[in-house]
């Protein structure tokens, strides 16, 4: 009986999603993407995500011949696997075909906007979109929007601005999980454990395709900082497990990196992260911790995303002033009131070089 009720509820939700897509009811569609089980199926996501990501609302800027980061793309793509799902074929031919499409997609975005810098993890962020859409053209459009409006800070010349956002994760933890924050402070664990969560929207850390898609449903209808709130909610959900870890730097760091793999209650984590954002909005959070750059994707999102309209495409430069350089090319990360020993993780996150950050990220991959 209970199973029948669940099936009826799911069918009803699928009908709601289909009707919202057909009627282009974006308010309802965003609400369905954000709550409950999200958009339910790959077929529905294939129809809904273009609406939610404002496809065809930017003027095509044309392409350059080569991007200087293509060599790194060529190194990363061959070691990119496919998510686990019965929907996805994992034959050698199927994997190779997806990898070819992945390279083409990533390179096309970089060539359209040569001032974007590729980061290791962007290819992993791209793969689930490719698995949903099944072809390059819609995936390229999705990744263009994601690159320009959601992960643009990570595609600046260094990752210092991303690390600034991770400082705000510590600010959140101090408020919502003070015992965990005290543990991290005691062991001087910097926020490197969450860098792949933020850079890949958890795609690097979660194998299950359905879970990745559920997370993506939520994040594409949320502001770019939402992934940091999700990270905080995940740590809060796992607070008991974290506090039970051996009080050792390496053990705690490694244990934290494994939290996404162990989590089964993503719906609850995502819902809690939404309430976290309501209680600690981006402006308040920055005042509590560190101020992000004025042209950060976090601070420009509200003013730019609402101006997008497929009926009246705009060049990206009409939304965020930029010439040949990234909008953050000359921005200097700042930390507010972070001089005490107690705030060492925040200071080290800001002072760390891009090389050190990437080294930590690569260590987390092994």
């Amino acid at each position: 009986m209970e199973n029948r009720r669940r099936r009826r509820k799911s069918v009803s939700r699928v009908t709601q999603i289909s009707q919202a897509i057909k009627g282009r009811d974006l308010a309802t569609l965003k609400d369905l993407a954000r709550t409950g089980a999200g958009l339910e199926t790959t077929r529905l996501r294939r129809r809904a995500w273009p609406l939610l990501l404002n496809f065809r609302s930017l003027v095509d800027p044309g392409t350059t011949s080569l991007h200087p980061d293509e060599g790194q793309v060529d190194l990363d793509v061959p070691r990119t696997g496919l998510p686990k799902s019965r929907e996805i074929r994992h034959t050698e031919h199927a994997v190779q075909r997806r990898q070819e499409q992945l390279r083409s997609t990533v390179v096309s975005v970089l060539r359209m906007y040569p001032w974007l810098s590729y980061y290791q993890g962007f290819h992993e962020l791209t793969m689930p979109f490719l698995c949903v859409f099944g072809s390059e053209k819609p995936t390229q459009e999705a990744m263009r929007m994601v690159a320009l409006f959601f992960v643009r800070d990570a595609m600046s010349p260094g990752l210092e601005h991303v690390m600034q956002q991770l400082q705000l994760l510590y600010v959140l933890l101090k408020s919502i999980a003070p015992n965990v924050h005290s543990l991290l402070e005691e062991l001087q664990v910097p926020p490197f454990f969450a860098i792949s969560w933020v850079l890949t929207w958890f795609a690097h850390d979660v194998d299950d395709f359905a879970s990745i898609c559920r997370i993506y449903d939520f994040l594409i209808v949320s502001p770019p900082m939402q992934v940091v709130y999700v990270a905080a909610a995940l740590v809060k959900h796992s607070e008991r497990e974290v506090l039970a870890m051996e009080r050792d730097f390496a053990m705690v760091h490694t244990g934290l990196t494994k939290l996404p793999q162990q989590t089964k209650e993503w719906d609850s984590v995502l819902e809690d992260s939404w309430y976290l954002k309501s209680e600690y909005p981006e402006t308040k959070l920055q005042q509590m911790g560190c101020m992000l750059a004025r042209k950060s994707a976090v601070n420009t999102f509200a003013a730019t995303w609402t101006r997008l309209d497929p009926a009246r495409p705009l060049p990206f430069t009409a939304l965020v002033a930029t010439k040949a350089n990234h909008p953050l090319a000359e921005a200097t990360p700042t930390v507010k009131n972070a001089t005490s020993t107690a705030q060492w993780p925040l200071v080290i996150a800001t002072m760390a070089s891009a090389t050190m950050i990437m080294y930590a990220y690569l260590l987390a991959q092994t």
Side-chain angles (χ1 to χ4, degrees):
M1 180 70 73
E2 182 63 27
N3 286 338
R4 259 186 253 144
R5 283 200 199 98
R6 285 178 183 169
R7 279 197 296 272
R8 280 199 296 271
K9 184 178 179 181
S10 181
V11 169
S12 174
R13 186 178 180 87
V14 166
T15 302
Q16 284 181 287
I17 296 168
S18 296
Q19 290 175 344
I21 294 170
K22 187 175 181 180
R24 301 181 74 86
D25 182 352
L26 293 183
T28 298
L29 196 56
K30 288 177 183 178
D31 187 60
L32 289 165
R34 193 179 67 245
T35 59
L39 297 176
E40 294 274 353
T41 70
T42 298
R43 182 174 296 181
L44 289 171
R45 291 182 174 105
R46 197 173 294 141
R47 296 168 57 203
W49 283 3
L51 297 175
L52 297 172
L53 283 169
N54 283 309
F55 274 27
R56 295 183 293 279
S57 58
L58 290 178
V59 173
D60 190 340
T63 60
T64 56
S65 56
L66 288 173
H67 189 283
D69 293 338
E70 288 183 32
Q72 187 60 55
V73 176
D74 289 337
L75 292 175
D76 290 343
V77 165
R79 51 181 180 244
T80 308
L82 301 181
K84 292 180 180 178
S85 172
R86 292 180 181 178
E87 299 179 56
I88 300 173
R89 297 177 62 194
H90 286 78
T91 64
E92 183 177 349
H93 175 74
V95 172
Q96 185 176 357
R97 174 61 179 149
R98 281 285 180 255
Q99 289 175 343
E100 291 170 356
Q101 292 175 317
L102 177 63
R103 184 197 182 279
S104 174
T105 299
V106 171
V107 167
S108 71
V109 173
L110 294 175
R111 290 182 180 181
M112 277 193 284
Y113 300 95
W115 47 265
L116 289 174
S117 295
Y118 170 78
Y119 64 83
Q120 289 182 288
F122 186 72
H123 62 302
E124 292 176 289
L125 175 64
T126 304
M127 181 60 88
F129 282 104
L130 183 57
C131 290
V132 166
F133 289 117
S135 61
E136 295 162 57
K137 190 171 181 180
T139 309
Q140 288 170 3
E141 182 67 5
M143 294 316 298
R144 172 161 78 142
M145 302 308 286
V146 170
L148 293 175
F149 293 96
F150 292 88
V151 299
R152 188 174 74 240
D153 291 6
M155 303 187 82
S156 61
L159 287 177
E160 290 86 353
H161 295 283
V162 175
M163 295 310 297
Q164 258 198 307
Q165 294 179 28
L166 289 180
Q167 295 171 33
L168 299 178
L169 168 61
Y170 272 68
V171 175
L172 279 170
L173 291 178
K174 187 173 184 178
S175 297
I176 67 170
N179 290 335
V180 172
H181 182 271
S182 295
L183 174 65
L184 300 180
E185 182 181 274
E186 175 191 333
L187 298 177
Q188 296 190 329
V189 179
F192 297 143
F193 64 86
I195 194 168
S196 64
W197 305 359
V198 171
L199 292 181
T200 72
W201 285 5
F202 294 93
H204 171 76
D205 305 276
V206 178
D207 293 330
D208 178 60
F209 184 55
S211 297
I212 296 171
C213 287
R214 176 67 197 97
I215 296 168
Y216 277 32
D217 287 341
F218 182 79
L219 291 177
I220 65 175
V221 296
S222 305
M225 258 291 278
Q226 192 66 45
V227 67
V228 174
Y229 292 97
V230 175
L234 174 60
V235 174
K236 175 63 177 175
H237 265 251
S238 308
E239 182 172 16
R240 182 178 300 177
E241 291 85 348
V242 174
L243 294 177
M245 293 174 184
E246 183 180 341
R247 300 182 87 82
D248 172 79
F249 176 97
M251 296 297 291
V252 170
H253 171 83
T254 302
L256 287 166
T257 63
K258 294 179 178 178
L259 292 183
Q261 302 171 21
Q262 301 163 355
T263 300
K264 305 299 180 185
E265 300 175 352
W266 279 108
D267 290 349
S268 297
V269 171
L270 297 177
E271 182 180 3
D272 286 356
S273 80
W274 189 254
Y275 289 117
L276 268 182
K277 181 185 177 298
S278 299
E279 189 171 352
Y280 302 97
E282 291 95 331
T283 51
K284 178 180 178 179
L285 198 57
Q286 290 180 61
Q287 290 166 359
M288 293 168 63
C290 61
M291 301 304 295
L292 304 181
R294 182 175 59 85
K295 288 187 179 180
S296 164
V298 173
N299 290 330
T300 61
F301 184 80
T304 56
W305 192 253
T306 53
R307 291 179 60 191
L308 296 175
D309 183 354
R312 291 184 292 275
L314 293 169
F316 179 73
T317 51
L319 300 169
V320 180
T322 181
K323 295 180 181 178
N325 296 324
H326 192 284
L328 296 181
E330 297 180 4
T332 303
T334 58
V335 180
K336 179 182 179 181
N337 298 328
T339 55
S340 69
T341 304
Q343 290 174 305
W344 180 88
L346 308 186
V347 177
I348 195 67
T350 301
M351 299 302 293
S353 66
T355 302
M356 180 179 176
I357 294 166
M358 286 311 305
Y359 180 67
Y361 175 53
L362 290 170
L363 283 179
Q365 287 184 299
T366 58

